[in-house]
């Protein structure tokens, strides 16, 4: 997967680091995995997911060349 893809899966705090490492996706969709029931968000799951995301290493710098800077 390239850096322009969005990873849509059952992402949560536990599997986020490996999913990002393996896919190198530029975006993530974790909506349903952070719910206790359809449409009901779990604040603890959201907090844990954001903490896991904040602990990820930064993405590699984009390649910049004359003409796309």
């Amino acid at each position: 997967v390239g850096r322009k893809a969005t990873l849509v899966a059952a992402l949560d705090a536990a599997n986020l680091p490996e999913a990002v490492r393996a896919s190198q996706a530029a975006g993530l969709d974790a909506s349903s995995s952070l719910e206790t029931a359809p449409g009901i968000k779990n604040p603890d799951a959201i907090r844990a997911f954001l903490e896991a995301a904040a602990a990820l290493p930064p993405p590699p710098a984009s390649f910049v060349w004359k003409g796309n800077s």
Side-chain angles (χ1 to χ4, degrees), residues 39-68:
I40 308 297
K41 300 298 182 208
N42 178 335
D44 293 330
I46 293 170
R47 187 175 298 105
F49 183 86
L50 293 175
E51 288 171 355
L56 293 172
S62 299
F63 179 76
V64 177
W65 58 280
K66 185 178 177 181
N68 78 343

